[in-house]
Amino acid sequence: METSSSYVAFTPKRSLGGKTSLLCLLAISSRAAAFTSPIFQKTATLQRTAPSKTEGVEIELPDFDEMFGRIQEVSPLARLAIQGGGSGEGGGFAACDETSPAGMKWKKVERNKRKLVHQIDKIDNFQNLGPPLMRWRASMEGRCHGMMFADFIMNAERRQSWDPQIENVNELYPINDLDAANISMGFGKYGDCQKLGVGYTLTKAHPIGISPREQLTLCGIQQYDDGSAVIWGTELEDWHDHLMPAGERLTRARSHLFSIALVPTGENSFDAEYSLQLDFGGNLPHWLTGPIVLDSVKGMFGVAQPFFNAGEGGELDEFLKKEIEEDKFEDRNSILFTP
């Protein structure tokens, strides 16, 4: 395996600007190769790793070209966020290229322009993996903020506010240095990676007879210069099971594909597209679990909307003020400590 010695260069915190056309070409080429290569490598000599904040624990990094290629194939809004040029008035869903790749036929599940979640689509048995790939679209009011939106997925308290089956969500192994991830992604090719780590999810038993499930995922957050964001995750493989917390192993659920794309459509509005292919594991029929997933994610948007639209004095507003002050402090430090 590669070790931390593989990562010695410096990556700036902000994503690289002035390279939109080049990044678009790179994104298009990666789309063409989607679903043709594995995300992770079982052979140790082929793996790329980076140290976590826990001494002695390495994180296998995915094939980012393959992973973001897959996300762009299924999520036009994520493709728009990554390629750029689609934010602001007239942007978001209105600027998306809705052309689906050959053989990828979306089925309409719900359409209602008057609702917060105004469109839901699915592809049954996507990639012959069994469960459907589902896609939710919502147009939100409030400031677009990827890190805070991700909290509704990655923070246990916020997750439980809309998903009553969640027992715990825990970031086990955050990456030690985000520069390693940004280098591996190609210096801004997929935006600025602001968060990356291995997470563990534990669910409660469901009233309809579904026993508790567990998941082990690699998740991250990408930020873009125009305020867009892509929140992503992929299930880790069986050879990563040593990263599981101690205790009795439960039936494994698997997120074959997960992303949330956020693109600002104004100073206080943004479009959001949630894509998910979730396998509950065991022998549960997908016609039984699909409606549970559909309603659960719709509920998430309903809980998140008041948070983002709370306005002045709200939790998001206070967080943004604090963030601005921290950015100013970092700028002063950069001036003070530059030789």
Side-chain angles (χ1 to χ4, degrees):
M1 290 188 183
E2 295 178 2
T3 63
S4 58
S5 61
S6 302
Y7 305 101
V8 294
F10 171 75
T11 298
K13 288 187 177 182
R14 301 297 179 191
S15 56
L16 303 180
K19 300 186 183 295
T20 303
S21 59
L22 173 60
L23 296 186
C24 287
L25 289 173
L26 291 170
I28 292 169
S29 65
S30 66
R31 279 186 66 203
F35 300 102
T36 60
S37 302
I39 295 289
F40 297 104
Q41 296 289 340
K42 188 173 184 179
T43 304
T45 55
L46 299 177
Q47 294 176 355
R48 296 177 300 170
T49 66
S52 72
K53 292 185 181 294
T54 300
E55 186 175 356
V57 176
E58 295 278 320
I59 298 172
E60 183 185 355
L61 300 178
D63 180 335
F64 286 112
D65 287 338
E66 176 67 25
M67 189 188 72
F68 285 114
R70 294 183 184 188
I71 289 172
Q72 291 179 83
E73 285 272 288
V74 305
S75 173
L77 196 67
R79 186 161 67 244
L80 186 69
I82 292 171
Q83 294 181 10
S87 63
E89 186 177 352
F93 293 129
C96 280
D97 177 4
E98 298 288 355
T99 305
S100 296
M104 191 177 291
K105 296 182 179 179
W106 291 92
K107 295 180 180 180
K108 180 173 67 175
V109 178
E110 291 185 13
R111 293 281 197 286
N112 191 330
K113 293 182 179 180
R114 292 176 296 180
K115 290 187 176 181
L116 174 62
V117 180
H118 50 76
Q119 182 175 335
I120 304 175
D121 303 291
K122 70 173 182 176
I123 301 176
D124 289 319
N125 192 25
F126 184 64
Q127 294 291 305
N128 295 314
L129 293 172
L133 169 64
M134 305 190 73
R135 191 171 68 189
W136 297 256
R137 289 183 166 184
S139 294
M140 311 277 288
E141 296 180 1
R143 292 287 297 275
C144 183
H145 198 287
M147 291 287 283
M148 294 306 291
F149 202 100
D151 258 8
F152 285 90
I153 307 297
M154 302 177 182
N155 176 280
E157 183 177 353
R158 290 204 193 279
R159 180 73 173 269
Q160 289 164 350
S161 69
W162 61 270
D163 189 349
Q165 296 310 122
I166 290 295
E167 179 69 34
N168 193 23
V169 178
N170 185 23
E171 185 181 22
L172 298 176
Y173 302 110
I175 195 169
N176 185 57
D177 187 355
L178 285 170
D179 290 346
N182 279 304
I183 291 169
S184 186
M185 291 179 189
F187 290 104
K189 182 177 179 180
Y190 300 112
D192 176 26
C193 184
Q194 293 196 328
K195 190 177 184 68
L196 186 148
V198 174
Y200 177 76
T201 303
L202 176 65
T203 69
K204 304 173 184 177
H206 195 281
I208 67 171
I210 302 175
S211 62
R213 298 297 200 256
E214 62 181 355
Q215 287 187 259
L216 189 70
T217 54
L218 182 71
C219 296
I221 304 171
Q222 309 298 121
Q223 187 69 34
Y224 300 89
D225 286 338
D226 64 357
S228 298
V230 173
I231 304 159
W232 56 267
T234 185
E235 199 76 25
L236 290 171
E237 302 288 351
D238 292 341
W239 59 84
H240 301 122
D241 281 357
H242 63 282
L243 299 175
M244 285 279 197
E248 180 184 358
R249 298 276 63 87
L250 304 173
T251 301
R252 181 81 172 267
R254 294 181 184 275
S255 295
H256 296 300
L257 191 153
F258 160 69
S259 71
I260 304 174
L262 310 174
V263 174
T265 54
E267 185 176 351
N268 286 294
S269 63
F270 61 97
D271 284 343
E273 186 168 62
Y274 192 127
S275 304
L276 176 65
Q277 186 181 25
L278 175 63
D279 191 336
F280 275 65
N283 298 314
L284 293 169
H286 302 303
W287 59 261
L288 176 66
T289 58
I292 296 173
V293 177
L294 187 149
D295 289 338
S296 181
V297 174
K298 282 176 64 176
M300 183 275 294
F301 281 107
V303 171
Q305 176 58 96
F307 173 87
F308 283 93
N309 198 32
E312 187 174 356
E315 187 175 350
L316 177 60
D317 180 60
E318 294 302 315
F319 179 88
L320 291 171
K321 290 176 181 176
K322 182 179 179 182
E323 192 175 53
I324 291 171
E325 289 302 314
E326 289 176 350
D327 285 344
K328 289 180 179 178
F329 181 75
E330 287 183 4
D331 290 340
R332 287 197 298 271
N333 279 347
S334 66
I335 296 171
L336 290 171
F337 295 109
T338 299

